[in-house]
């Protein structure tokens, strides 16, 4: 994480705070200053000024309602909150500071520590439910850590808003150890003149502790899934994969294990390397994936007699799902093309009239897969050959089908004159 401290041991805090405040006023006022902002601060001030915030007054605070705060608290960070608070709470009380944990959007979800400092924090809008991004409250530890994707410490006049000059803040991002995704930020804040050089090490240690705890919780959940599924796994004779609800692999039999596959959905076909097209089966808190019996094809009907609908019939059950007009057009075009399939450019021309929509085409196919499962193969796009797709156009066929006559895609409208 590197050394991101705003001060050095032995710094005269009152004097340095005065120097930073004078620098703040000079630089943001367009005057010369013998002291220049650190590169981190200069970048942040530039972003904040572009966002239109003012430095000489408190900008409007965004405060989320209680129900939205509670919804956001249902995140992986909730599982490690106890560990963080346990480590920092006593330090916060003794050192006159507060511990703050935010989500990836900079929303303050939890706050603990000195009652006196919490009261002071309320005066600048630093409370649960408040949004502390740079674009909302200016340069600050939380928002700047999110913007820089790195640990940040700010002292006194390095904050953009003058109302925050009496504070220091030290923040470090917390990442999901499985995916590397940013989950939120842990922050220690307090009166500027109480900043101690050891705060930086404390915050980075707590962030690492949270990530290690998250990794341990993940491994424990996979172990519980393996244990609960043990009897079923022992009775299987062929290749199979056991995954949790997010697609993380807990057990693999008869194939080289991957760390993760696409998250299964109930009754949606899923293509798994080494297994082929599978229909996920619920097993405890996870999913069991096995190769489909060859005698049990997946049947997909594209019903265009009314609002586009997909009707899927698997080996043991069936389900239906409404489709957007664009997704119905994609299925219809791929059905007409057969095993030859269509490249990204060809599908773009068919849908939009030109080949300049590759990004949009890929996004639409990805969304369609989330609805129906992995029935569409790549390079080129085509319907998986284990899926039997039929199209219900009604009694009038292509020429009378209302959906086709009203289609936006040029190639779909052309089907009226190009009957199969």
């Amino acid at each position: 994480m590197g050394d991101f401290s705003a001060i050095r041991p032995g710094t005269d805090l009152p004097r340095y705070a005065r120097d930073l405040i004078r620098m703040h006023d000079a630089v943001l006022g367009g005057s010369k200053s013998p002291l220049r902002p650190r590169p981190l601060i200069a970048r942040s001030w530039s972003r904040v000024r572009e966002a239109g915030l003012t430095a000489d007054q408190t900008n409007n605070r965004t405060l989320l309602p209680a129900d939205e705060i509670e919804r956001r608290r249902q995140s992986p960070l909730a599982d490690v909150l106890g560990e963080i608070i346990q480590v920092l709470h006593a330090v916060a009380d003794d050192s006159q500071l507060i511990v703050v944990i935010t989500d990836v959007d900079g929303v303050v979800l939890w706050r603990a520590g000195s009652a006196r400092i919490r009261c002071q924090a309320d005066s600048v809008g630093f409370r649960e439910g408040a949004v502390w991004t740079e674009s909302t409250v200016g340069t600050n530890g939380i928002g700047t850590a999110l913007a820089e994707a790195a640990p940040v410490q700010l002292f006194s006049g390095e904050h953009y808003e003058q109302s925050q000059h009496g504070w220091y803040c030290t923040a470090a991002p917390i990442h999901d150890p499985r995916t590397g995704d940013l989950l939120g930020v842990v922050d220690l804040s307090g009166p500027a003149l109480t900043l101690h050089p050891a705060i930086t090490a404390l915050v980075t240690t707590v962030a690492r502790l949270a990530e290690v705890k998250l990794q341990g919780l993940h491994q424990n959940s996979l172990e519980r899934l393996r244990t609960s599924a043990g009897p079923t796994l022992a009775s299987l004779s062929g290749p199979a994969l056991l995954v949790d609800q997010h697609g993380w692999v807990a057990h693999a039999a008869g194939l080289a294990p991957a760390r993760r596959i696409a998250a299964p959905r109930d009754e949606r076909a899923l293509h798994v390397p080494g297994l082929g097209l599978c229909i996920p089966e619920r097993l405890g808190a996870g999913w069991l994936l096995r190769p489909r019996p060859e005698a049990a094809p997946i049947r997909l009907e594209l019903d265009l007699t009314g609002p586009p609908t997909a009707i899927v019939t698997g080996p043991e059950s069936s389900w239906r799902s409404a489709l957007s007009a664009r997704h119905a057009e994609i299925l219809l075009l791929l059905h007409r093309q057969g095993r030859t399939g269509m490249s990204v450019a060809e599908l773009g021309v068919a849908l939009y009239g030109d080949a300049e929509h590759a990004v949009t085409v890929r996004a639409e196919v990805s969304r369609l897969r989330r609805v129906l499962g992995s029935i569409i193969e790549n390079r080129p796009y085509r319907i998986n050959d284990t899926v039997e797709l039929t199209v219900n156009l009604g009694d009038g066929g292509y020429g009378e089908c209302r959906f086709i006559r009203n289609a936006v895609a040029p190639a779909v409208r052309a089907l009226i004159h190009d009957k199969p």
Side-chain angles (χ1 to χ4, degrees):
M1 288 187 176
D3 180 13
F4 59 95
S5 178
I7 64 170
R8 298 180 181 277
T11 297
D12 183 333
L13 295 181
R15 179 178 178 178
Y16 189 45
R18 290 192 297 269
D19 291 343
L20 287 176
I21 291 172
R22 284 195 291 266
M23 176 196 72
H24 172 278
D25 296 343
V27 172
L28 295 183
S31 302
K32 292 184 178 181
S33 170
L35 185 63
R36 303 303 300 172
R38 291 184 288 157
L40 167 77
I41 306 304
R43 291 194 300 270
S44 178
W45 285 0
S46 176
R47 290 190 295 264
V48 172
R49 297 181 82 170
E50 289 179 2
L53 273 65
T54 57
D56 58 356
Q57 61 184 359
T58 300
N59 294 277
N60 292 330
R61 300 298 193 243
T62 301
L63 191 65
L64 273 58
D67 59 343
E68 176 65 11
I69 299 171
E70 191 57 37
R71 183 188 69 80
R72 287 172 175 266
R73 283 173 173 166
Q74 309 307 312
S75 74
L77 289 178
D79 296 328
V80 298
L81 174 65
E83 298 282 338
I84 295 174
I85 297 300
Q86 182 178 354
V87 171
L88 294 180
H89 197 286
V91 176
D93 279 337
D94 295 341
S95 303
Q96 296 297 291
L97 54 84
I98 56 174
V99 183
V100 171
I101 301 173
T102 79
D103 65 11
V104 69
D105 297 318
V107 177
V108 178
L109 299 182
W110 296 281
R111 195 182 66 162
S114 166
R116 182 174 68 85
I117 305 305
R118 290 203 310 271
C119 184
Q120 293 180 20
D122 290 343
S123 68
V124 293
F126 196 30
R127 60 178 67 198
E128 291 180 350
V131 180
W132 273 69
T133 56
E134 283 187 339
S135 60
T136 303
V137 300
T139 303
N140 70 94
I142 293 166
T144 305
L146 290 172
E148 295 280 335
V152 167
Q153 183 175 77
L154 302 178
F155 177 69
S156 185
E158 291 183 321
H159 292 87
Y160 188 78
E161 285 187 349
Q162 290 179 357
S163 62
Q164 299 176 44
H165 286 180
W167 291 82
Y168 76 82
C169 51
T170 307
I174 300 175
H175 293 86
D176 188 325
R178 302 167 301 175
T179 64
D181 293 340
L182 182 62
L183 298 177
V185 168
V186 57
D187 172 85
L188 286 182
S189 293
L193 302 187
T194 66
L195 177 58
H196 191 281
I199 290 292
T200 56
L202 180 59
V203 169
T204 55
T205 298
V206 169
R208 290 194 186 104
L209 173 66
E211 292 171 354
V212 169
K213 180 66 174 178
L214 285 169
Q215 182 65 39
L217 291 172
H218 172 61
Q219 294 300 327
N220 290 341
S221 69
L222 293 181
E223 181 59 35
R224 287 194 300 272
L225 179 57
R226 281 191 293 269
T227 300
S228 64
T232 300
L233 296 175
S235 66
L236 299 179
S237 57
L241 205 62
L242 176 67
V243 302
D244 69 7
Q245 60 180 334
H246 302 295
W248 292 100
V249 176
H251 176 79
L255 71 162
R259 291 187 66 237
R260 190 183 189 185
I261 63 170
R265 293 182 60 194
D266 194 26
E267 297 297 331
R268 266 54 169 179
L270 183 66
H271 186 272
V272 180
L275 292 180
L277 207 60
C278 305
I279 298 293
E281 308 167 52
R282 270 290 182 188
L283 184 58
W287 297 92
L288 179 65
L289 296 111
R290 294 182 289 177
R292 284 185 318 104
E294 289 302 321
I298 296 174
R299 295 181 174 86
L300 169 61
E301 177 185 333
L302 175 59
D303 186 353
L304 299 178
T305 59
T309 303
I311 304 170
V312 181
T313 303
E316 299 177 355
S317 62
S318 63
W319 51 272
R320 62 175 56 219
S321 180
L323 296 176
S324 69
R326 181 61 79 203
H327 289 169
E329 290 175 340
I330 292 172
L331 281 177
L332 185 60
L333 291 169
L334 294 181
H335 172 63
R336 290 272 295 170
Q337 199 65 24
R339 288 302 300 162
T340 304
M342 303 178 74
S343 68
V344 172
E346 289 170 338
L347 194 52
V349 171
L351 292 173
Y352 303 102
D354 59 61
E356 305 302 318
H357 290 78
V359 173
T360 305
V361 169
R362 292 189 181 97
E364 289 291 357
V365 173
S366 178
R367 295 187 191 102
L368 179 56
R369 284 194 177 112
R370 287 198 290 270
V371 175
L372 297 181
S374 305
I375 68 167
I376 299 177
E377 297 181 6
N378 284 322
R379 299 179 183 177
Y381 290 132
R382 59 188 183 277
I383 305 297
N384 189 287
D385 58 8
T386 61
V387 176
E388 297 179 2
L389 173 60
T390 58
V391 181
N392 184 357
L393 300 168
D395 296 335
Y398 282 83
E400 300 299 325
C401 177
R402 179 179 299 179
F403 173 82
I404 293 178
R405 296 183 71 87
N406 296 332
V408 175
V412 173
R413 290 198 308 271
L415 294 179
I416 297 174
H417 309 291
D418 181 26
K419 299 178 179 60

